[in-house]
Amino acid sequence: MKTKVFNPFDYMDTQEEIHDFLVECFNDDDPKVFINALNHLMKKHGVANIAEEIGVNRESLYRSFNGKVSPRWDTVVKVMKVLNIDLTEAA
């Protein structure tokens, strides 16, 4: 049986749904929950394109968000800007 990696963003239709989901992930006690959600959203939009826009190579960006290491905060912010994510009301 062939399986496909689950990406929650494949099942969201509106920016509001995406925003609400990201806010919930951001407010989770475990910061890895938000990083994992951001990773899924990057994959949905194309990691190579995002990497090019923020000026890093694709492999480096994948490694930063693979869950084995913590990405630098400036990288997280750059990715959020490229994806047009504003969580100012989540804080």
Side-chain angles (χ1 to χ4, degrees):
M1 173 186 272
K2 236 180 176 183
T3 61
K4 181 180 163 186
V5 175
F6 176 77
N7 187 334
F9 296 102
D10 289 339
Y11 303 94
M12 296 181 197
D13 296 322
T14 66
Q15 281 301 117
E16 185 177 344
E17 288 176 312
I18 292 169
H19 179 268
D20 291 346
F21 180 74
L22 289 172
V23 168
E24 284 186 41
C25 293
F26 183 79
N27 287 321
D28 193 277
D29 290 337
D30 183 355
K32 290 181 182 178
V33 171
F34 178 71
I35 297 303
N36 187 40
L38 203 54
N39 184 32
H40 283 297
L41 189 57
M42 282 191 324
K43 288 178 180 177
K44 179 82 174 161
H45 285 273
V47 176
N49 295 333
I50 295 168
E52 185 178 324
E53 285 195 50
I54 67 172
V56 299
N57 68 46
R58 181 182 54 84
E59 295 83 11
S60 176
L61 192 56
Y62 269 118
R63 276 194 305 272
S64 294
F65 287 86
N66 69 6
K68 295 177 185 173
V69 298
S70 296
R72 291 175 37 158
W73 182 245
D74 64 326
T75 303
V76 172
V77 170
K78 288 176 185 176
V79 168
M80 289 174 59
K81 285 183 181 181
V82 167
L83 294 174
N84 222 8
I85 299 169
D86 180 7
L87 299 180
T88 54
E89 68 184 48

